[in-house]
């Protein structure tokens, strides 16, 4: 009986770990796809593809101008490597939900060292951007 319980406990733990890994990988892939819109200067599309929380927080015309101003000064993308992804159920100032804070170590033509932080949230069954920050 103890052996059966131990096997079930190990199986349940393994299932939870396996379920979390794809969610993390899916969030990272969605973040890469979303930021690729900005790399391609498809600023309006990046707003359209963002979460409803993002869209409620900033008008499309304001977003387009802001991101264009910031990114044009950095030059073209040279490289982007995953740095860290943190999964969360709650973030300050945001409604509870499923979040992934995805960080990339990024090099631009005019900025040799940057950290991009893209907060992804589950919105309508899909990972969508809820925030974007470059440091």
């Amino acid at each position: 009986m103890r052996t059966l319980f131990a096997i079930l406990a190990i199986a349940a733990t393994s299932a939870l770990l396996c379920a979390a890994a794809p969610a993390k990988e899916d969030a990272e892939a969605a973040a890469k796809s979303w930021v690729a819109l900005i790399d391609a200067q498809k600023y309006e599309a990046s707003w359209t593809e963002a979460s409803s929380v993002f869209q409620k927080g900033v008008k499309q015309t304001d977003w387009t101008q802001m991101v264009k101003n910031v990114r044009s000064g950095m030059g073209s993308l040279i490289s982007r490597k995953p740095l860290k992804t943190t999964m969360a159920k709650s973030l300050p100032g945001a409604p509870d939900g499923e979040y992934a804070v995805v960080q990339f170590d990024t090099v631009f033509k005019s900025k040799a060292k940057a950290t991009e932080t893209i907060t992804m949230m589950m919105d309508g069954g899909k990972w969508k951007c809820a925030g974007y920050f470059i440091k």
Side-chain angles (χ1 to χ4, degrees), residues 25-96:
E25 291 169 4
D26 292 345
E28 289 171 354
K32 275 185 175 178
S33 292
W34 182 83
V35 78
L37 293 171
I38 294 172
D39 297 336
Q41 299 178 357
K42 295 180 179 180
Y43 307 125
E44 293 86 3
S46 71
W47 185 89
T48 301
E49 293 298 316
S51 70
S52 57
V53 170
F54 185 101
Q55 292 173 351
K56 288 175 188 169
V58 62
K59 290 190 245 176
Q60 185 178 26
T61 54
D62 293 342
W63 166 251
T64 299
Q65 193 60 47
M66 285 187 298
V67 74
K68 183 187 247 182
N69 289 343
V70 170
R71 286 293 298 269
S72 65
M74 295 185 181
S76 59
L77 175 71
I78 303 297
S79 68
R80 177 178 290 122
K81 296 176 187 164
L83 191 60
K84 178 171 98 170
T85 299
T86 305
M87 305 301 287
K89 299 271 186 198
S90 175
L91 294 174
D96 288 348

